[in-house]
Amino acid sequence: MSAGASKEEQLKELLFLRWEQLQRSSAEQLQAELKEILGCSNHQTCMKEAVLLDYYVCGWWWAKEASFTPAQASFTMAVLHILLDNIREKQMGLVDNLAEFSKALKPACRCVTPEEYTSSLLDSEEAAAFIRYIRNSLFQKYRLYQLLFTTPRGELLAGMERTTEVFCCQDPLTPLEHGISTHLYFQ
C-alpha cells in the first residue's frame, strides 16, 4: 500500500486491489490490515481505537457475508466512514446524521423502471439489509459513540464521584481472613 495515501484511499485500495485475497482471509488477518491502515497501535488499551477497529472490521465482514461486490463493499465502508466522521469531527446529532445517511444512500438506490433501465449500486433487498445493518450497528448505539468520540476521557473521570471508606482498626494485628479480634483469634 502506498505510504502517503489517506486512510480512505488505503481502504479503497484494500477493497479493490485485494478483494479476492480478503474474501479468503480470516477476521484476524483483516483486523491486522485495518489496524495498520487506521494506525491503531494501541487498540488493546485504548477504547477509542478498539471501537474504531471493531467498527470497520464488522462493517467489512458484514459486506462480505452479504456477498457484496467490491464496489458495494467500498460504498459500505465509505458510508460507515462518513457517518462516524460526522460524530467524531462534526459532532452531528442523531437526526442530522440520519439525514446525511439518507443523502448518501439515495444515489446508490436509484429507482429502476422497466422503461428506463439504470443500474443502481444496491437493489431494494440489499439496500434494506444495509439500512438494517447501519441501524443496528450505529444508530441504536449512537449516544455511546457520541460519548466515546466527543467527550474527553479526563472529563468523564473527573466528573465521577468517588467514595472511599476507611475502616478504623483498634488492633493492627487483627487477622483479615477472619475479621475477629486477636484475643478471640489466639484463644
Side-chain angles (χ1 to χ4, degrees), residues 45-88:
T45 56
C46 178
M47 189 180 301
K48 285 182 184 179
E49 285 186 11
V51 167
L52 186 67
L53 186 59
D54 183 64
Y55 179 76
Y56 285 113
V57 168
C58 288
W60 188 89
W61 206 261
W62 177 84
K64 177 184 172 183
E65 292 294 316
S67 301
F68 275 16
T69 65
Q72 290 171 323
S74 180
F75 173 75
T76 300
M77 298 303 285
V79 170
L80 289 173
H81 178 74
I82 289 168
L83 296 175
L84 192 62
D85 193 50
N86 286 344
I87 296 171
R88 289 189 318 174

Side-chain angles (χ1 to χ4, degrees), residues 14-151:
L14 178 71
L15 286 169
F16 278 109
L17 299 180
R18 301 186 45 221
W19 179 253
E20 291 300 320
Q21 179 186 359
L22 288 172
Q23 284 290 86
R24 295 183 301 270
S25 69
S26 68
E28 290 80 22
Q29 292 167 328
L30 176 66
Q31 184 176 8
E33 289 281 340
L34 287 174
K35 188 174 20 172
E36 181 183 323
I37 290 170
L38 298 171
C40 295
S41 59
N42 201 18
H43 73 284
Q44 296 292 340
T45 56
C46 178
M47 189 180 301
K48 285 182 184 179
E49 285 186 11
V51 167
L52 186 67
L53 186 59
D54 183 64
Y55 179 76
Y56 285 113
V57 168
C58 288
W60 188 89
W61 206 261
W62 177 84
K64 177 184 172 183
E65 292 294 316
S67 301
F68 275 16
T69 65
Q72 290 171 323
S74 180
F75 173 75
T76 300
M77 298 303 285
V79 170
L80 289 173
H81 178 74
I82 289 168
L83 296 175
L84 192 62
D85 193 50
N86 286 344
I87 296 171
R88 289 189 318 174
E89 303 299 325
K90 299 176 183 174
Q91 298 185 3
M92 229 180 243
L94 176 62
V95 174
D96 294 333
N97 214 358
L98 277 168
E100 288 294 315
F101 175 57
S102 69
K103 285 180 193 174
L105 196 57
K106 189 175 182 178
C109 302
R110 280 185 256 143
C111 291
V112 179
T113 61
E115 304 87 37
E116 174 190 345
Y117 180 76
T118 57
S119 66
S120 62
L121 188 60
L122 301 172
D123 65 24
S124 59
E125 290 176 12
E126 292 166 336
F130 183 55
I131 291 168
R132 279 192 304 276
Y133 174 73
I134 295 294
R135 182 192 66 213
N136 294 335
S137 67
L138 179 71
F139 290 128
Q140 285 186 348
K141 303 169 184 96
Y142 199 82
R143 184 70 180 130
L144 293 173
Y145 281 105
Q146 279 183 319
L147 285 172
L148 181 66
F149 289 116
T150 61
T151 307

